[in-house]
Amino acid sequence: QVQLVESGGGLVQAGGSLSLSCTSSERTLSSYIMGWFREAPGKDREFVAAISRGGATTSYADSLKGRSAISRDKAKNTVYLQMNSLKLEDTAVYYCAADVLLPGGWGTPPVGASYWGQGTQVTVSS
């Protein structure tokens, strides 16, 4: 089992930026493909971004492509999601995920993940 802890969510005005962090105190996250998903009220959980074990390969959902950046710091055992130019529709609970499942390989949408954090709320206001 992998315990993931997210932080960095909050309230931000449209057009603003927010940085989310995800870490684990008892597991080395570098062993896993890591990712972020989000779930808006009344909607299914959807993929946001993923990063390979070494950090060289990343993948983004079209909804946030060009406005977000996923990264990881092995020394800090932390994965980050930087989001810019936030829109009202980015409001959701954002979940960190470990062992992101990519049966079709990079470039295809992930189908889920083996481990999930508790989620952090991101609210974008007008």
Side-chain angles (χ1 to χ4, degrees), residues 13-63:
Q13 284 193 321
S17 299
L18 209 60
S19 181
L20 306 181
S21 300
C22 171
T23 190
S24 176
S25 60
E26 77 278 359
R27 284 293 187 102
T28 301
L29 298 182
S30 59
S31 301
Y32 302 102
I33 295 174
M34 297 295 295
W36 291 91
F37 291 71
R38 68 184 183 184
E39 189 170 325
K43 296 187 177 181
D44 294 334
R45 190 171 298 188
E46 65 175 4
F47 167 68
V48 173
I51 188 167
S52 61
R53 296 177 183 86
T57 304
T58 57
S59 177
Y60 297 91
D62 288 342
S63 58

Side-chain angles (χ1 to χ4, degrees), residues 38 40 43 46 63 67 86-92 94 124:
R38 68 184 183 184
K43 296 187 177 181
E46 65 175 4
S63 58
R67 300 191 293 120
L86 284 163
K87 305 176 181 179
L88 296 179
E89 52 264 40
D90 293 322
T91 295
Y94 284 71
V124 184

Side-chain angles (χ1 to χ4, degrees), residues 2 6-7 32 34 46 50-51 53 58 60 68 70 73 79 86 92 94 97 100 112 118 122:
V2 179
E6 303 103 331
S7 61
Y32 302 102
M34 297 295 295
E46 65 175 4
I51 188 167
R53 296 177 183 86
T58 57
Y60 297 91
S68 63
I70 187 171
D73 186 326
V79 177
L86 284 163
Y94 284 71
V100 173
Q118 293 299 306
V122 172

Side-chain angles (χ1 to χ4, degrees), residues 70-122:
I70 187 171
S71 60
R72 64 193 308 165
D73 186 326
K74 183 178 180 180
K76 294 183 179 179
N77 202 36
T78 302
V79 177
Y80 304 96
L81 180 68
Q82 174 69 38
M83 298 185 290
N84 304 314
S85 302
L86 284 163
K87 305 176 181 179
L88 296 179
E89 52 264 40
D90 293 322
T91 295
V93 177
Y94 284 71
Y95 295 91
C96 178
D99 193 23
V100 173
L101 305 174
L102 289 162
W106 289 97
T108 63
V111 299
S114 299
Y115 307 103
W116 300 93
Q118 293 299 306
T120 184
Q121 177 70 46
V122 172

